[in-house]
């Protein structure tokens, strides 16, 4: 009996690997094209760090005319949740990070290199596991989990490196006859890789992000096919990224220490090794301590958070590019109006330690992104969000024509307003513009400097009776406010007041604040003249009357 017989005994129906090698040929792509992928497990939670990896892979492949695909790694069936694939597909869709190939719904996929879901690739892994067994590079292991645990405890007690390797790898030296005998007797087994490595030898590896790294060789006989017949991540990664003709494995740096094992697997399988780019995690400053963004502690770790808050997709993407390449910020400053897609993203310029995630900065980016939208774009975006998350806002937006005027205030000019950073801010920033809300609800008026009620009533009354004309142009309107100020003993100009404060009760700003607060209930609003033009004559009068009551 030889290795081939043992392999046939274990996987009698597996195909020759040549079948798969022909079925999934080298891709016909332009010179330098990068093929990469996003390969999440469908655990029901999409982490912002995952989205970040996907964005990076999408960017670099797009730039080279390559291929970006979505592979679902569902071999750990304990961790899986229902509709986990849909969650991933939809998150990518929401952020417009669209794969060229791979899963497109829970069960459907596109592309010629599938299946793109690992649980459907069982026979492929079997073929390659069989191939390794045939060459004596993998073997069945009959150790129970108790036995493996016992080995670990012995190692721990003796203070030696844990694992299934060298003399500890009990089943590695079983003869094919012994192994076949056990199988025929119905003993349970898994398949292990027979590592050719030696711990005392070093390998050199060049990682696109981390640079040159040295590691001891791998000498662990890792499991490649588990008791449930599915592969481990390590084995599946090698087989899949080879057959899917991945040129660049872009993944989280938690896998960096597995590189020696992965290189060995590629080599023993006779595959060309891909390039690796290990992305550092997104970090958070937690009271002065830098730590990973955590699924448990930080709501912003979930991709769904951004949708719920209504932070526009482009803002999140732009921010992620910002932390991915430190050169982005300067590029953006020099090219404020260019599409972010034009930025020349460089994988090798990513930060070696983790980039810091700063919500304040993200919201700032978001304000700028939103300030550049037209009223119509803003309206459409806010409406979509409101339909899902805020019924009251949706109702406000029913009157589209009016809402467009509201959104049009200080928009589309050189210095557009920047008061909105997310859709969940919008209601509060516009609600007073709607008469049915403003006139019917109680308003708390805080007039700042001018506080005497009678004085305020006099000012407002005088304004309605003698100064207010909806048809005034902006200059005339403001001159009238100055006239009104003067009449009540306030300086027409702030300068005049500052030069001689004892001579005045205040200045024109104090009077316009009285009007502003009476009209809107707020001390800070966008341009009051524009507000007046949008709400219209009747509303101005009704609002001032309400304030006087
Ligand atoms: N399923 C692995 C993970 O989610 C994929 C790593 C990879 O991209 O190869 O960590």
């Amino acid at each position: 009996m030889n290795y081939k017989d043992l392999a046939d005994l274990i996987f009698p129906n597996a195909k020759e690997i040549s079948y798969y090698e022909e079925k999934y040929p080298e891709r016909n792509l332009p010179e330098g094209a990068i093929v990469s992928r996003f390969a999440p497990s469908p655990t029901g939670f999409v982490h912002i760090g995952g989205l970040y990896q996907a964005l990076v892979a999408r960017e670099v492949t797009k730039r080279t005319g390559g291929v970006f695909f979505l592979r679902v790694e569902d071999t750990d069936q304990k961790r899986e949740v229902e509709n986990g694939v849909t969650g991933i597909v939809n998150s990518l869709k929401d952020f417009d990070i669209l794969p060229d190939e791979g899963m497109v719904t829970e069960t459907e996929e596109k592309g010629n290199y599938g299946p793109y879901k690992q649980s459907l690739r069982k026979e492929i892994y079997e073929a390659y596991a069989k191939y390794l067994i045939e060459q004596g590079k993998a073997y069945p292991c009959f150790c129970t989990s108790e036995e493996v645990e016992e080995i670990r405890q012995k190692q721990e007690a003796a203070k030696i490196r844990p694992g299934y390797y060298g003399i500890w790898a009990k089943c590695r030296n079983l003869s094919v006859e012994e192994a076949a005998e056990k199988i025929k007797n119905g003993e349970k087994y898994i398949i292990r890789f027979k590592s050719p490595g030696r711990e005392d030898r070093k390998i050199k590896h060049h990682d696109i992000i981390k640079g040159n790294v040295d590691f001891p060789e791998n000498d662990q006989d890792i499991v490649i096919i588990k008791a449930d017949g599915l592969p481990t991540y390590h084995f599946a990664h090698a087989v899949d990224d080879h057959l899917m003709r991945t040129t660049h494995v872009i993944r989280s740096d938690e896998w960096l220490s597995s590189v020696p094992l992965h290189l060995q697997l590629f080599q023993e399988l006779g595959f060309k090794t891909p390039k690796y780019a290990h992305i550092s995690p997104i970090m958070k400053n937690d009271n002065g301590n830098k730590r990973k963004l955590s699924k448990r502690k930080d709501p912003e770790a979930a991709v769904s958070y951004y949708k719920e808050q209504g932070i526009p997709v482009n803002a999140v993407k732009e921010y992620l590019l910002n932390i991915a390449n430190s050169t982005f910020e300067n590029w953006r400053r020099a090219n404020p109006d260019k599409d972010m897609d034009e930025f020349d993203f460089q994988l090798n310029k990513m930060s070696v330690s983790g980039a810091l995630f700063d919500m304040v900065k993200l919201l700032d980016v978001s304000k700028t992104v939103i300030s550049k939208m037209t009223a119509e774009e803003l309206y459409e975006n806010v409406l979509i969000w409101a339909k899902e998350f805020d019924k009251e806002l949706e109702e406000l937006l029913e009157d589209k024509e009016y809402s467009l005027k509201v959104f049009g205030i200080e928009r589309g000019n050189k210095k557009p307003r920047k008061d909105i950073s997310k859709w969940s801010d919008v209601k509060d920033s516009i609600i007073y513009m709607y008469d049915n809300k403003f006139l019917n609800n109680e308003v708390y008026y805080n007039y700042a400097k001018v506080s005497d009620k009678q004085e305020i009533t006099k000012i407002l009354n005088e304004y309605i009776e003698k100064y207010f004309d909806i048809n005034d142009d902006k200059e005339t309107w403001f001159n009238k406010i100055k006239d009104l100020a003067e009449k009540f003993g306030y300086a027409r100009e702030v300068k005049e007041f500052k030069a001689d404060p004892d001579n005045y009760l205040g200045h024109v700003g104090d009077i316009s604040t009285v009007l502003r607060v009476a009209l809107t209930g707020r001390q800070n609003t966008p341009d009051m003249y524009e507000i007046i033009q949008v709400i219209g004559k009747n509303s101005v009068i009704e609002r001032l009357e309400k304030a006087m009551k």
Side-chain angles (χ1 to χ4, degrees), residues 37-42 53 71-74 79 118 233 237 241 249-252 254-255 262 276:
R37 77 294 189 284
F38 178 42
S41 299
Q53 284 169 38
R71 178 172 72 225
V72 169
E73 307 216 321
D74 59 344
R79 293 174 61 212
Q118 288 182 330
Y233 165 69
H237 150 51
D241 280 317
V249 172
I250 300 172
R251 63 183 178 188
S252 142
E254 68 188 286
W255 298 111
H262 294 170
Y276 285 97

Side-chain angles (χ1 to χ4, degrees), residues 98-294:
L98 300 177
D100 304 305
E101 289 174 13
M103 300 309 293
V104 292
T105 67
E106 193 65 35
T107 50
E108 291 156 298
E109 59 175 38
K110 64 173 180 188
N112 297 328
Y113 287 80
Y116 293 90
K117 204 188 206 177
Q118 288 182 330
S119 56
L120 301 175
R121 301 173 62 80
K122 199 163 172 247
E123 61 162 48
I124 303 178
Y125 305 122
E126 286 174 358
Y128 284 86
K130 181 174 185 179
Y131 170 74
L132 288 180
I133 297 169
E134 279 170 2
Q135 296 174 78
K137 293 177 176 175
Y139 61 89
C141 167
F142 302 88
C143 292
T144 61
S145 37
E146 292 76 38
E147 282 171 291
V148 173
E149 175 56 24
E150 213 174 285
I151 294 172
R152 200 193 59 79
Q153 280 173 6
K154 277 191 195 150
Q155 290 166 329
E156 198 174 304
K159 293 200 168 26
I160 46 181
R161 207 158 44 88
Y164 204 88
Y165 63 93
I167 53 159
W168 302 96
K170 281 212 306 213
C171 296
R172 147 185 269 245
N173 298 319
L174 289 177
S175 68
V176 286
E177 286 78 12
E178 285 166 320
E181 179 74 20
K182 284 173 178 286
I183 291 169
K184 285 180 191 147
N185 289 339
E187 278 189 46
K188 295 228 170 336
Y189 61 93
I190 53 174
I191 308 295
R192 282 186 188 272
F193 174 56
K194 193 187 278 180
S195 170
R198 272 183 30 198
E199 217 256 342
D200 59 346
R201 284 194 304 229
K202 283 232 177 320
I203 60 154
K204 283 193 188 315
H205 168 68
H206 180 78
D207 187 89
I208 299 179
I209 297 172
K210 305 277 176 179
N212 291 329
V213 265
D214 292 347
F215 290 107
E217 278 183 10
N218 171 65
D219 67 349
Q220 301 274 343
D221 284 1
I222 58 121
V223 178
I224 58 174
I225 303 284
K226 300 178 292 175
D228 61 5
L230 286 169
T232 52
Y233 165 69
H234 305 296
F235 188 56
H237 150 51
V239 171
D240 292 347
D241 280 317
H242 165 67
L243 289 180
M244 295 176 181
R245 308 293 172 180
T246 303
T247 62
H248 288 58
V249 172
I250 300 172
R251 63 183 178 188
S252 142
D253 71 357
E254 68 188 286
W255 298 111
L256 183 64
S257 60
S258 301
V259 163
L261 164 63
H262 294 170
L263 295 178
Q264 216 174 51
L265 281 167
F266 273 84
Q267 186 157 15
E268 296 305 304
L269 283 158
F271 300 159
K272 181 170 169 228
T273 48
K275 291 200 163 66
Y276 285 97
H278 285 96
I279 299 186
S280 316
I282 298 181
M283 311 295 279
K284 171 168 176 146
N285 187 336
D286 187 358
N287 289 322
N289 292 323
K290 221 174 146 185
R291 62 162 173 81
K292 281 190 204 177
L293 255 193
S294 134

